[in-house]
Amino acid sequence: MYDVVIKGGKIVGSPFGTIKGDIGIAGECIAAIGYGLKGKHVVDASGKLVLPGAIDAHVHMELLVSGTRSSDDFASGTKAAACGGVTTVIDFTVGDRDSTLPEDIESRLDEAKKSYIDYTLHAEIIGWHRSRSWEILKATQMGVTSFKFFTAYSSSGRRTDRGALFDAFETIGDLGALAIVHAEDEEIIDHIVSSLDPSEIGDMSTLAKARPPLCEALAVGDVIYLAERANTKVHIVHLSSALGLEAFKRARSFYSNATAETCPQYLLLTKEVYEGMEGHLYSASPALRTSMDAQALWEGISSGDISLIATDHCPFTREQKSWKNNFLDLPYGLPGVETSLPLFFSEGVLKRGISLEVMVKLFAENPARIYGLFPRKGALQIGSDADITILDPNQEWTISSNNLHMNTDFSPYEGMTIKGKVCTTLSRGEVIYDNGLFKAREGRGKFLGRSI
């Protein structure tokens, strides 16, 4: 008899394909997949989808930015994640020229101890110099094997220029680690911003003009070419535009060791939201694009060019984003960790015909493979962690900040009615969320050290 049996659901992503059956859990791991399994505790999944727990590989909890801090800490953010079917998050260290990567990792791990679900980290690299190569090696020994760079944001000190980027890529490539990059060409952005008049800076809709698809496409091409020359694996975060996707596909044609993600906001929202009374609440970087860009990204998902969906979850309250007649001074970021999976099911699977199997790859298997977590995470296999999401495909509900758990009073999808809702989430065999009741103990999440 198993400790827990999930009974009678439609299991998606098992080694046997999509089947109707039971999953038996012993301790923290999946122990059996079959029929007629018996357990001390039974979760009835009849009529529901049984999925590997989602992995959100791009979140920013309690991040200092633009004079404030993202409104979810590791407790509220991971609680919200679990309520949305996410069982693993990957956050970032906070890089600093005056600290080392090992110090950054230790500091961030201390903040992350509040997590309800399992987590790991990307290391943000600020102020790179070859003399710091030992820090990357030490970080990998500490279980952090992915390293984040920016090709923009000089004003905050985060930008890495091409020479230093190539140098760092060589170090990362030699170790077999992974470089991940926020790709926007800052020279283009600076040139546009310098030409704006005061009325344009005081207009929220100018954000889309100031950070155009061209700046994304140029940076994506440069980054992948440098990665190819350095022989390092590279991942492009939050791809947002048709032009950026075209540049990615062109670069990937000569260097296959490149992957990319997009986010729900670039699939479902357009720059028209900036023209509304509350357009400032949608400040994000990259900027929101057009419906044509969104369609191109949907096609990139269907073609397999886009490997995963992540949220870039970085929430703020209305007060934090209060409009001060300058789009440049806003904190950039949107909440999304709780809504991404049901949104994709409703808008991608039900409305666009994307298969459940592709959804599982985007939200679980591919992020687990890219970030060195598979098959412990991202799989419904015997021996894998029993991280399982049960989704009711027939439940219709309306998204509102009032019925979500993210620590913000705003949802980008406020008032949107969708079909498909997470009803139960298990993390390492423990039912932590069940039909509106959150059951987990703060701090139960584990750090997932990864190896190369």
Side-chain angles (χ1 to χ4, degrees), residues 15 18 83 109 112 127 248 267 277 296 304 379:
T18 298
C83 296
L109 288 178
F248 174 76
L267 296 170
M277 290 292 292

Side-chain angles (χ1 to χ4, degrees), residues 144-164:
V144 175
T145 60
S146 47
F147 300 89
K148 171 73 175 291
F149 298 87
F150 296 87
T151 62
Y153 298 127
S154 289
S155 61
S156 63
R158 286 179 284 173
R159 180 176 181 265
T160 302
D161 64 31
R162 288 188 186 91

Side-chain angles (χ1 to χ4, degrees), residues 29-343:
C29 298
I30 295 172
I33 300 173
Y35 306 95
L37 303 182
K38 298 186 182 301
K40 299 171 187 175
H41 177 68
V42 174
V43 178
D44 183 7
S46 301
K48 299 180 177 67
L49 303 176
V50 180
L51 314 168
I55 299 168
D56 193 337
H58 189 155
V59 302
H60 299 284
M61 308 301 181
E62 49 192 278
L63 175 66
L64 286 169
V65 58
S66 298
T68 187
R69 187 184 293 267
S70 59
S71 55
D72 269 323
D73 64 11
F74 278 92
S76 65
T78 57
K79 178 180 180 179
C83 296
V86 174
T87 54
T88 301
V89 293
I90 310 183
D91 208 297
F92 297 77
T93 65
V94 181
D96 194 304
R97 293 175 183 273
D98 297 323
S99 62
T100 67
L101 292 183
E103 289 170 339
D104 296 341
I105 292 168
E106 290 291 354
S107 175
R108 202 61 166 151
L109 288 178
D110 187 58
E111 293 175 331
K113 287 178 181 177
K114 301 185 290 287
S115 296
Y116 286 98
I117 59 175
D118 293 350
Y119 57 92
T120 188
L121 297 172
H122 309 296
E124 182 182 84
I125 295 190
I126 303 297
W128 170 259
H129 188 274
R130 182 171 286 275
S131 64
R132 301 185 64 182
S133 296
W134 70 271
E135 296 179 31
I136 291 182
L137 174 59
K138 180 62 176 176
T140 64
Q141 293 169 344
M142 296 172 73
V144 175
T145 60
S146 47
F147 300 89
K148 171 73 175 291
F149 298 87
F150 296 87
T151 62
Y153 298 127
S154 289
S155 61
S156 63
R158 286 179 284 173
R159 180 176 181 265
T160 302
D161 64 31
R162 288 188 186 91
L165 192 63
F166 179 65
D167 189 68
F169 278 7
E170 286 188 309
T171 299
I172 292 168
D174 288 345
L175 290 171
L178 174 68
I180 63 176
V181 184
H182 174 128
E184 290 183 288
D185 187 285
E186 186 157 86
E187 291 182 18
I188 296 290
I189 296 169
D190 286 348
H191 176 75
I192 294 171
V193 171
S194 68
S195 68
L196 297 176
D197 61 42
S199 66
E200 290 175 303
I201 291 174
D203 183 348
M204 185 61 206
S205 64
T206 306
L207 173 59
K209 174 184 175 181
R211 307 184 85 93
L214 175 62
C215 73
E216 179 174 73
L218 287 171
V220 166
D222 283 353
V223 163
I224 296 178
Y225 188 71
L226 290 174
E228 188 264 343
R229 292 288 89 192
N231 193 30
T232 186
K233 296 179 291 183
V234 66
H235 180 77
I236 305 296
V237 297
H238 49 51
L239 202 63
S240 67
S241 66
L243 207 58
L245 176 60
E246 178 187 325
F248 174 76
K249 290 163 67 175
R250 187 178 299 164
R252 198 167 182 240
S253 69
F254 65 78
Y255 189 59
S256 61
N257 226 345
T259 54
E261 69 190 43
T262 193
C263 309
Q265 55 266 35
Y266 302 116
L267 296 170
L268 299 173
L269 302 174
T270 66
K271 64 181 182 179
E272 278 69 33
V273 299
Y274 295 140
E275 298 172 5
M277 290 292 292
E278 294 190 312
H280 55 283
L281 296 179
Y282 294 84
S283 60
S285 178
L288 299 175
R289 310 297 189 187
T290 67
S291 57
M292 183 195 74
D293 291 297
Q295 179 59 32
L297 295 173
W298 281 112
E299 291 170 3
I301 287 168
S302 296
S303 66
D305 291 300
I306 292 173
S307 295
L308 65 92
I309 304 293
T311 63
D312 196 5
H313 176 78
C314 192
F316 300 96
T317 63
R318 290 172 182 272
E319 182 180 356
Q320 287 176 298
K321 282 199 174 185
S322 59
W323 180 239
K324 298 180 178 64
N325 298 310
N326 187 335
F327 76 88
L328 297 171
D329 290 340
L330 290 165
Y332 287 2
L334 296 170
V337 72
E338 187 174 358
T339 51
S340 60
L341 182 63
L343 273 170

Side-chain angles (χ1 to χ4, degrees), residues 335-416:
V337 72
E338 187 174 358
T339 51
S340 60
L341 182 63
L343 273 170
F344 189 91
F345 175 76
S346 183
E347 300 298 309
V349 175
L350 296 184
K351 291 188 179 179
R352 296 175 181 269
I354 296 172
S355 72
L356 290 170
E357 290 77 12
V358 167
M359 183 178 79
V360 163
K361 285 183 179 294
L362 290 165
F363 280 86
E365 181 180 338
N366 287 352
R369 288 186 183 278
I370 289 168
Y371 290 113
L373 296 170
F374 191 86
R376 179 179 177 183
K377 304 292 186 182
L380 296 180
Q381 297 182 13
I382 293 172
S384 297
D385 282 359
D387 287 4
I388 299 170
T389 296
I390 303 175
L391 185 143
D392 184 343
N394 299 310
Q395 186 171 347
E396 193 170 273
W397 60 293
T398 300
I399 295 175
S400 168
S401 58
N402 294 326
N403 60 23
L404 297 171
H405 300 81
M406 296 176 287
N407 188 29
T408 178
D409 50 6
F410 161 72
S411 169
Y413 314 101
E414 196 81 28
M416 185 175 177

